[in-house]
Structure formats: structure tokens, C-alpha cells
Amino acid sequence: MARFSIASPSFGRFVRSTAFTIPLACIIGLATAKVRPGDELATTPMHVAKMAAMRFMYSESKMTFAKMQGPELAQMIDKARTAAAGNISGNLCFSYVGASGDMTKEFTLKVGYPVKPGTVAPDGFTVVDVPEYKCATLVMFGPMSNMGKAYETLYSELLQNGLVPSGDSREYYLYWEGPQSENDVTLLQVGVK
């Protein structure tokens, strides 16, 4: 594992400068990211990783991808940042349970941050110790409009490698300037059995 600090001065008001830990293979992937033929999607190669256990503070909501375009998500992010203030030990994380490619299908969305040991959840939040997480992962560079293509790429590669999805996924927002920015950096993780 390698530990890095990325200054995130403009994830709107949602992310602060923070340290995060990612596998060295992911860092090597940063140097080998490529634009895939026929589109503008830049990602690292997919690899399988065991992400370290973490203490996670979050709020959760029933959500659809269509609803994620509205103000409810921004409010969840802002409340999570405020609630975790002073205890944040990693980047903003979205954890999806039961999500699919269907824009209208409801799933559980957990929005929060990895937090320091001993952090207590304020009202409306939950703190849990999340065990080690085996996942297929890649880093996506660029705007949120590429997110669907990035997940298609990730699922295609994990299935080609004989991996079986576990039904949950995570996104870590490593650097954020805005939803249309070519400079955004997002770590995608799909749990595998």
C-alpha cells in the first residue's frame, strides 16, 4: 500500500484535503491510464485488490440514479462532511447496495467518510467497522458523464476474468473540481466473491 495526500480545494464544499491509502498497483495504473479507443474514457487497468478495513461514518437513503441528479444527494454530502469534521481519515465515499444499471431501480446509498478510531456517530448517522473488502477496482479520470462507461468497463473486465460481483460497490472521490471537469479523479470498486 502507498499513502498519498491529495489537495482537493474545490470539491465544491464537500471534500477537504485529506490523506488516503490505495494499493501500489493503482498508483502504477495512474501512470498507465489510457483513453480507450472510440471514446474519451480514461481509466487505469482493472485489478483485484483487498482494501483495508476501515471505520466508516455515513448516512443512508433509498435512492435511484435518476434522483442522484437532484439536491438530496448534495445535502447528504454536506451533512456527512459536517458530521465527520475533525475525524475524517479518508476521502468521500459512496457505498451502493443493490444498485444496477437501471436508472429507476431503487438501491441503498450510504454517503460518508472513513473516520478515526473512537469516532461516535451524531444523530442521523451510523459508524461501523467495515471489514477488509475484496474488489475489482479502477481509477477513472474525467467528468461524471463517463461514470456509466467506466462501470461498463469494470464489469466487463471483472466478468472476463471469471470474477463474480457480490452486489455492492463503492466510489471514492480522490480529486474533484466539478461534475464536468476533465481533472476529476474517482476510484471505483466493485465487490467480488
Side-chain angles (χ1 to χ4, degrees), residues 157-181:
E157 291 182 18
L158 73 87
L159 293 171
Q160 287 174 12
N161 284 285
L163 300 169
V164 177
S166 63
D168 63 329
S169 59
R170 298 178 186 170
E171 296 167 4
Y172 287 91
Y173 295 89
L174 306 181
Y175 182 80
W176 180 268
E177 293 182 349
Q180 285 80 38
S181 176

Side-chain angles (χ1 to χ4, degrees), residues 73-86:
L73 180 60
Q75 292 168 358
M76 285 180 73
I77 295 168
D78 196 33
K79 287 178 182 176
R81 181 192 49 80
T82 300

Side-chain angles (χ1 to χ4, degrees), residues 153 184 191:
T153 298
D184 295 344

Side-chain angles (χ1 to χ4, degrees), residues 40-122:
E40 297 299 315
L41 178 61
T43 66
T44 60
M46 187 270 312
H47 73 278
V48 177
K50 286 188 179 176
M51 304 306 289
M54 68 172 172
R55 179 161 269 237
F56 184 50
M57 186 174 81
Y58 66 91
S59 66
E60 76 177 58
S61 178
K62 293 295 183 185
M63 187 67 71
T64 66
F65 286 115
K67 278 177 42 179
M68 286 182 75
Q69 309 305 315
E72 182 181 350
L73 180 60
Q75 292 168 358
M76 285 180 73
I77 295 168
D78 196 33
K79 287 178 182 176
R81 181 192 49 80
T82 300
N87 292 304
I88 295 173
S89 64
N91 289 74
L92 176 65
C93 177
F94 289 6
S95 176
Y96 301 86
V97 179
S100 71
D102 182 344
M103 293 293 286
T104 61
K105 182 180 179 228
E106 196 170 75
F107 56 86
T108 300
L109 175 64
K110 299 175 182 178
V111 174
Y113 289 90
V115 291
K116 298 173 185 172
T119 299
V120 177

